[in-house]
């Protein structure tokens, strides 16, 4: 058992939760933090950072809401300054593909003097089951401004496996893994596969991005969320990220998980059916 706990920023997050489970199963002590933990860690309140970091030397870092947002670079730089002062020696940063803000944050980490890994990921499969797309699937129609752009969606379980390898095995030090799933799919293809396996009609409807953002505004979505989704659907989905990349194979020596496997395990989890039964109860 390692004495110094591994810090996980993003305790209940799609990847942080998985990284924490894996590390604990391997016998590592962990300190998973977020705004709701003690000690708390809030990206928007730098006064919380020092006590969350103290006593740890290795960290898995997920930024909120996204490294693409204005201000993320300066927040990450300030975090790296505090991390250096507090004795963090190794950071594994979750990053996004094709985002200028994310690249600036990656560069800041690489220049910080702290030993680093970057896991630069495509869109997660789990956005369909643990995030804002779940609601559309339960309602039978996913409405998004993504057109027919293909995206090599990735399994958050694969990302967690890479993060754990990078956190625990020094052979990975100072490497960037650009990780994607094995197939580039449109949202329509993903929804078709989910619908076929579920045995229930679910359709994908593409709308213009401005109409989508207007609807979000009318529904009262926060302005920063409107900005982020506009950025993601105009920049990240302009076709720049359609290539399948070999990061999973490079880091783990095995292929990335296919979307079909994810659909099967998600059906088994009940999230696409139990939640519906609750809704109709
Ligand atoms: N989703 C994707 O497809 C995708 C693809 C590539 C990269 N990424 C990157 O992944 C990162 C997010 O990682 P994730 O998906 O594993 O996490 P996530 O699921 O977005 O994490 C959600 C958790 O973050 C915590 N949180 C929210 N605001 C916070 C704040 N201000 N300070 C501290 N914690 C906060 C919340 O817990 P509390 O309420 O307890 O604070 C919440 O449970 C982002 O930087 C994103 O750019 C995502």
């Amino acid at each position: 058992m390692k004495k110094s706990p591994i810090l996980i920023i993003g305790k209940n997050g799609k990847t942080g939760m998985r990284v924490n489970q894996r590390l604990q199963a391997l016998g590592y002590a962990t300190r998973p933090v977020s705004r709701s933990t003690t000690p708390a860690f809030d990206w928007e309140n730098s006064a919380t950072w020092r006590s969350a970091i103290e006593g740890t030397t290795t960290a898995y870092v997920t930024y909120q809401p996204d490294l693409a947002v204005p201000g993320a670079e300066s927040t990450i730089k300030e975090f790296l300054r505090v991390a250096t002062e507090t004795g963090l020696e190794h950071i594994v940063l979750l990053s996004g593909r094709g985002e200028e803000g994310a690249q600036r944050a990656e560069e800041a980490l690489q220049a910080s003097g702290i030993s680093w890994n970057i896991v630069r990921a495509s869109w997660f499969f789990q956005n369909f089951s643990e995030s804002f797309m779940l609601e559309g699937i339960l309602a039978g129609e996913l409405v998004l401004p993504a057109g027919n752009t293909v995206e090599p969606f990735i399994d958050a379980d694969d990302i967690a496996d890479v993060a754990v390898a990078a956190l625990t095995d020094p052979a990975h030090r100072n490497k960037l893994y650009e990780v994607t799933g094995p197939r580039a799919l449109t949202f329509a293809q993903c929804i078709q596969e989910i619908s076929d396996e579920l045995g229930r009609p679910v359709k994908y409807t593409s709308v213009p991005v401005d109409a989508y953002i207007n609807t979000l505004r009318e529904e009262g979505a926060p302005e920063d969320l409107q900005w982020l989704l506009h950025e993601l659907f105009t920049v990240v989905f302009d076709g720049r990220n359609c290539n399948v990349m070999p990061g999973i194979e490079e880091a783990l020596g095995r292929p990335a998980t296919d979307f079909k496997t994810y659909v099967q395990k998600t059906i088994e989890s009940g999230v696409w059916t139990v939640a519906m039964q609750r809704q109709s109860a």
Side-chain angles (χ1 to χ4, degrees), residues 17-28:
M17 174 189 63
R18 291 173 163 84
V19 169
N20 190 37
Q21 284 166 350
R22 282 162 171 72
L23 288 171
Q24 290 194 346
L26 290 168
Y28 287 90

Side-chain angles (χ1 to χ4, degrees), residues 160-281:
D161 285 345
V162 174
V164 167
L167 288 163
T168 58
D169 182 353
H172 293 284
R173 291 289 155 93
N174 300 336
K175 288 186 180 165
L176 184 156
Y177 294 113
E178 186 153 358
V179 295
T180 75
R183 281 189 291 154
L185 297 161
T186 63
F187 282 84
Q189 288 169 325
C190 291
I191 290 297
Q192 190 62 55
E193 291 196 21
I194 291 170
S195 177
D196 289 348
E197 291 300 318
L198 266 177
R200 186 173 88 218
V202 186
K203 69 172 182 171
Y204 168 67
T205 303
S206 181
V207 292
V209 69
D210 289 341
Y212 179 73
I213 300 297
N214 280 342
T215 305
L216 288 180
R217 190 175 301 123
E218 282 161 19
E219 289 171 356
E223 271 187 28
D224 51 355
L225 179 66
Q226 293 174 36
W227 183 92
L228 178 59
L229 288 170
H230 186 274
E231 176 79 2
L232 291 177
F233 284 110
T234 52
V235 177
V236 175
F237 284 104
D238 70 354
R240 69 181 65 192
N241 286 336
C242 59
N243 291 343
V244 167
M245 298 298 286
I248 296 295
E249 187 86 48
E250 286 168 0
L252 303 175
R254 63 149 174 91
T257 304
D258 192 77
F259 190 69
K260 275 196 189 315
T261 308
Y262 156 76
V263 171
Q264 279 305 334
K265 68 185 174 189
T266 307
I267 287 174
E268 280 159 28
S269 81
V271 71
W272 288 328
T273 41
V274 173
M276 277 194 82
Q277 283 157 12
R278 274 204 213 106
Q279 273 187 343
S280 59

Side-chain angles (χ1 to χ4, degrees), residues 9-17 33-37 41-45 49 60-68 94-97 99 102 119-127 130-132 151 153-154 156 159 228 232:
I9 298 177
K11 176 189 181 219
N12 298 315
K14 292 181 283 302
T15 61
M17 174 189 63
V33 295
S34 66
R35 294 168 303 181
S36 55
T37 56
F41 182 98
D42 185 349
W43 282 112
E44 292 178 20
N45 180 4
W49 300 350
Y60 176 62
V61 175
T62 63
Y63 183 76
Q64 286 293 333
D66 194 294
L67 290 172
L94 176 62
S95 181
R97 297 176 80 209
E99 298 175 352
V119 185
R120 188 191 284 163
S122 57
W123 262 45
F124 305 168
F125 293 163
Q126 280 73 10
N127 292 332
E130 297 172 27
S131 188
F132 69 103
E151 168 72 11
F153 295 92
I154 185 169
I159 295 175
L228 178 59
L232 291 177

